[in-house]
Amino acid sequence: MQLSPLQSRLAASLGASLMIFALYLLLFSPSFASATELPVENVVRSDQPLALSDGLDISYEPDFAAFDRSIIGRAPPVGVQPMTNNGAERTNLDPGITVCYMIEKSTIFGRDLPTEERDDESPELSRRAESKTVYISANTCLQPGVIKNGEETEAPQLNLYISTTNDIQCPGPSKDTSRMKVIEFTEGAVMHSLNATGNIYIGVSAPNITQNYTSVYNYEIAASLDEYYHKYDSQNGSQLLWMDSDSSSVLLVTRNITQNGTDTDEIMKAELPYDIFMQNNNSRSLDGLRHSVCGLKNKAQLSAVQDEPGKGTDRITTVMTTRGPGGLPKQQFYVVGLDSSSHYSGILVKRANGTSSDTKRAESSIGGGGTVFRATDFQTSSGTNCKVVTDLGFCDEIQYAVPGNDNKYNNTELANVYDNYAKKMYANFEKVLMQISCEAPPQSLYSLARTCDDCRAAYKRWLCTVSIPRCEDFMSNGNFSIARNVAQAFPNGTKLPSDQRKKLAETPAFRASRNKFIDETIKPGPYKELLPCDDLCYEVVQSCPAAIGFTCPQPGFRSFNVSYGQRFEQSASVTCNYPGEARTKISVAAAMVPGAVFLSALPLMMWLGL
């Protein structure tokens, strides 16, 4: 039968369509769902909770036969959370459960894929796969308590599992641990770095708890190609120094933030670099969380966190200061309202931009989780007649506990009384120095190495230290302090037992303070004094003209033993008082090496009543 022209055109179009459909079947071979596959509603969606049992290791990957995997990338296994660079994830976790993550190769290398995946490289180069260092860190933010025999105890720490093989895409305690890296959290923190050549699979697992427990775990995890997002620094010692404390307050200060004086102005104008957390060591609320920033925020008794509400923030005053050795910038913390006769820990945290918040995903930033430093331990005293003073106007290097009297002065008033007294004594010294030709030509000066300005600075440092003595509780057992003012009553009217008072009074230096101003004006009662370091005195002798008659006692003489102390580097505690000397033992670069001149008389010191 002969086809009409219209029928011929239809037949040609149908034939072409059939040929295209046959070519599609040949090239792409589409497969159709069978009754044995998981229904769509059984697939774990990305908006579902991340918690997976550690036995669950489902992997799903769409099949695109015509495209190479290096082009479309590997999809994370179902339920496994992909991790970004320098971004933190926070998750709740029940005991016995494992949550899994994946750091994809494309995240690690970007377009700079390892040579093993480049078709244009030689076989020899392909065998030498490139690698990149990946830093993985996590902090426990909340940790459950375990109820045993009616008492709450610390729960076991979380565990981090890391796999670099595609055979274990959800690493955890139920898998072959010999093929994984297993790291237990320490005090709520974990850090691990590895050289990656491909995908990295991570599991965070909570241990099984067979007893009753109080809550779930909560943690924050991050991966970085730059440095650890969360850090605990155990290598550099304590960055927070215990200056001194009394029965209810403490003064803490950081180490110098820089050693370069030219950076001082910029640092002093910038935001405060550190947060602080404090805990009475009798409390167990921080157990298992002392290395974790978010754990400290949640559980520490006291905290001062910039731009965030803290616990007891009104009891912590923090400022930048250049007081102390070197005149370099430091951050100072003055804390009040503490318990007497108690041991505390102060934990310093260096801030970073993008510090994790309470949201699930924190702002991405390098080192955004902050750095926790080793805790600084300190204790408050039982006595109430030693008071911490700081921020004095004239004696601006004085930052420690001094003899006080609650019935007459608060800490601020006490600081002003001492400062005004020292300033008055310094005015007498200035009158003596006016007799020296400080502006004479070089050939007529008293020294080619020191000037009158050096003399003024050395004398002021010595004067402030001896006129404002460093006070210790009379009942303390320090080996380097001596009793003072034993004949006077305490501010509450009580006196030392008569037999003890009589025995101590046999030594004249113990009967009163080193100058009568303290006993007549402050009236602190009995206390102990940590003696000034002898090199303070020698520095004045070396810096000032001999004509002013300033001399120092010689070691071994009775006057020396009740006037000055000496440094002993091997001692674990502070052995003498020097401005800026912390009770946390450190070496003081500003200290002068004692000179060779030792004199036995003290005419100027006695003339000033010191």
Side-chain angles (χ1 to χ4, degrees):
M1 180 178 69
Q2 186 176 2
L3 298 175
S4 66
L6 177 60
Q7 290 174 325
S8 298
R9 286 195 297 272
L10 289 173
S13 297
L14 179 61
S17 299
L18 290 174
M19 290 181 65
I20 292 172
F21 181 69
L23 182 60
Y24 168 76
L25 293 176
L26 179 63
L27 291 177
F28 293 95
S29 302
S31 59
F32 300 93
S34 66
T36 61
E37 292 181 345
L38 288 174
V40 173
E41 58 267 24
N42 287 344
V43 177
V44 180
R45 291 178 168 82
S46 60
D47 59 349
Q48 297 298 312
L50 294 177
L52 305 173
S53 68
D54 55 11
L56 183 61
D57 189 7
I58 302 173
S59 59
Y60 169 78
E61 187 179 344
D63 185 14
F64 296 90
F67 298 97
D68 183 79
R69 264 287 162 226
S70 63
I71 298 176
I72 64 172
R74 177 179 292 275
V78 173
V80 176
Q81 177 76 16
M83 297 183 70
T84 59
N85 182 32
N86 292 315
E89 297 285 341
R90 186 171 291 190
T91 306
N92 286 333
L93 188 59
D94 286 305
I97 301 299
T98 298
V99 174
C100 292
Y101 303 89
M102 175 184 179
I103 310 173
E104 298 181 68
K105 184 185 297 184
S106 59
T107 299
I108 300 171
F109 295 97
R111 294 184 178 181
D112 185 21
L113 292 174
T115 55
E116 61 183 0
E117 295 202 2
R118 298 178 188 160
D119 295 333
D120 57 345
E121 298 286 358
S122 67
E124 180 179 357
L125 290 177
S126 297
R127 285 193 296 268
R128 295 188 311 210
E130 295 176 356
S131 65
K132 280 190 177 180
T133 302
V134 177
Y135 302 89
I136 301 168
S137 62
N139 276 185
T140 304
C141 304
L142 292 173
Q143 185 159 297
V146 177
I147 308 300
K148 281 186 179 181
N149 301 322
E151 295 184 0
E152 184 176 337
T153 60
E154 180 185 346
Q157 296 276 304
L158 295 172
N159 287 287
L160 182 72
Y161 293 82
I162 299 176
S163 164
T164 55
T165 172
N166 291 333
D167 295 339
I168 304 177
Q169 298 184 355
C170 185
S174 65
K175 306 297 174 60
D176 183 1
T177 56
S178 66
R179 303 178 65 192
M180 297 178 274
K181 183 70 176 180
V182 184
I183 313 107
E184 183 179 10
F185 284 50
T186 300
E187 285 291 335
V190 68
M191 298 186 298
H192 181 73
S193 64
L194 69 159
N195 291 324
T197 58
N199 297 329
I200 300 174
Y201 303 97
I202 301 169
V204 178
S205 181
N208 281 313
I209 300 177
T210 57
Q211 298 88 359
N212 292 330
Y213 56 91
T214 57
S215 63
V216 298
Y217 290 87
N218 180 276
Y219 68 90
E220 185 178 270
I221 188 169
S224 174
L225 303 176
D226 306 288
E227 61 178 59
Y228 288 113
Y229 187 89
H230 315 87
K231 286 182 281 188
Y232 174 71
D233 187 342
S234 62
Q235 303 299 317
N236 296 318
S238 177
Q239 296 298 304
L240 183 67
L241 307 177
W242 170 30
M243 296 304 298
D244 217 340
S245 54
D246 53 37
S247 61
S248 61
S249 64
V250 66
L251 184 67
L252 303 162
V253 67
T254 67
R255 291 179 184 265
N256 291 332
I257 295 174
T258 181
Q259 297 299 323
N260 187 352
T262 60
D263 297 334
T264 297
D265 289 343
E266 181 180 351
I267 293 173
M268 295 296 288
K269 294 176 184 177
E271 291 185 352
L272 297 173
Y274 295 103
D275 297 329
I276 194 173
F277 301 88
M278 298 185 64
Q279 187 83 353
N280 189 314
N281 291 347
N282 288 333
S283 172
R284 305 297 301 276
S285 65
L286 263 185
D287 287 0
L289 299 172
R290 295 177 183 272
H291 299 174
S292 163
V293 174
C294 57
L296 290 167
K297 288 183 178 181
N298 287 329
K299 291 296 185 178
Q301 290 177 322
L302 292 173
S303 62
V305 180
Q306 189 173 345
D307 300 330
E308 293 185 29
K311 302 174 184 177
T313 304
D314 58 332
R315 293 160 56 186
I316 303 176
T317 302
T318 178
V319 295
M320 292 297 295
T321 182
T322 55
R323 298 175 188 273
L328 295 170
K330 316 160 186 66
Q331 189 172 343
Q332 175 183 290
F333 303 90
Y334 179 58
V335 189
V336 300
L338 303 179
D339 299 328
S340 64
S341 304
S342 298
H343 291 262
Y344 282 85
S345 292
I347 302 175
L348 192 69
V349 173
K350 188 173 183 180
R351 298 174 53 81
N353 293 330
T355 298
S356 304
S357 65
D358 290 333
T359 58
K360 180 188 169 191
R361 181 180 293 276
E363 179 185 350
S364 296
S365 64
I366 298 173
T371 301
V372 181
F373 294 98
R374 186 186 304 174
T376 296
D377 294 327
F378 66 90
Q379 62 190 67
T380 54
S381 62
S382 58
T384 60
N385 62 340
C386 290
K387 296 296 179 184
V388 170
V389 297
T390 185
D391 300 334
L392 280 68
F394 177 71
C395 292
D396 51 0
E397 292 184 299
I398 300 301
Q399 306 177 89
Y400 48 72
V402 302
N405 185 336
D406 279 340
N407 295 335
K408 299 188 66 175
Y409 311 104
N410 62 32
N411 289 39
T412 302
E413 293 168 341
L414 184 67
N416 289 333
V417 170
Y418 274 112
D419 202 39
N420 290 333
Y421 170 73
K423 189 175 182 180
K424 180 181 178 181
M425 292 296 100
Y426 185 80
N428 293 335
F429 164 76
E430 284 281 19
K431 294 176 183 177
V432 175
L433 196 61
M434 288 174 62
Q435 302 174 28
I436 305 300
S437 301
C438 292
E439 307 302 328
Q443 62 270 20
S444 300
L445 289 176
Y446 69 92
S447 172
L448 296 177
R450 305 292 176 93
T451 67
C452 286
D453 286 340
D454 295 324
C455 175
R456 291 186 182 97
Y459 184 82
K460 177 184 174 182
R461 185 175 294 114
W462 169 84
L463 172 68
C464 288
T465 307
V466 299
S467 61
I468 310 178
R470 190 161 190 165
C471 181
E472 293 185 347
D473 182 17
F474 188 82
M475 301 307 294
S476 67
N477 56 0
N479 296 324
F480 302 99
S481 57
I482 66 169
R484 294 291 197 190
N485 201 22
V486 298
Q488 193 175 69
F490 288 100
N492 63 5
T494 62
K495 289 188 174 184
L496 293 174
S498 58
D499 56 341
Q500 184 183 19
R501 187 170 67 250
K502 182 178 179 180
K503 181 175 179 59
L504 289 171
E506 293 175 358
T507 302
F510 296 169
R511 296 175 194 163
S513 298
R514 70 186 304 143
N515 64 78
K516 62 181 181 179
F517 158 78
I518 296 174
D519 298 342
E520 294 177 353
T521 303
I522 309 298
K523 299 182 179 180
Y527 63 94
K528 287 186 177 179
E529 179 189 355
L530 182 66
L531 297 173
C533 297
D534 57 354
D535 45 352
L536 283 166
C537 188
Y538 305 139
E539 187 177 356
V540 179
V541 172
Q542 294 167 346
S543 302
C544 292
I548 69 173
F550 189 96
T551 55
C552 300
Q554 184 176 357
F557 281 65
R558 189 180 186 88
S559 59
F560 181 92
N561 296 333
V562 295
S563 300
Y564 293 98
Q566 293 181 302
R567 300 177 188 273
F568 296 103
E569 293 300 329
Q570 65 273 21
S571 174
S573 61
V574 177
T575 60
C576 61
N577 184 33
Y578 192 98
E581 187 88 11
R583 289 200 178 271
T584 303
K585 188 67 182 295
I586 57 170
S587 60
V588 180
M592 300 293 294
V593 177
V597 179
F598 297 93
L599 302 175
S600 59
L602 300 98
L604 182 61
M605 182 175 175
M606 295 177 65
W607 178 67
L608 293 175
L610 301 175

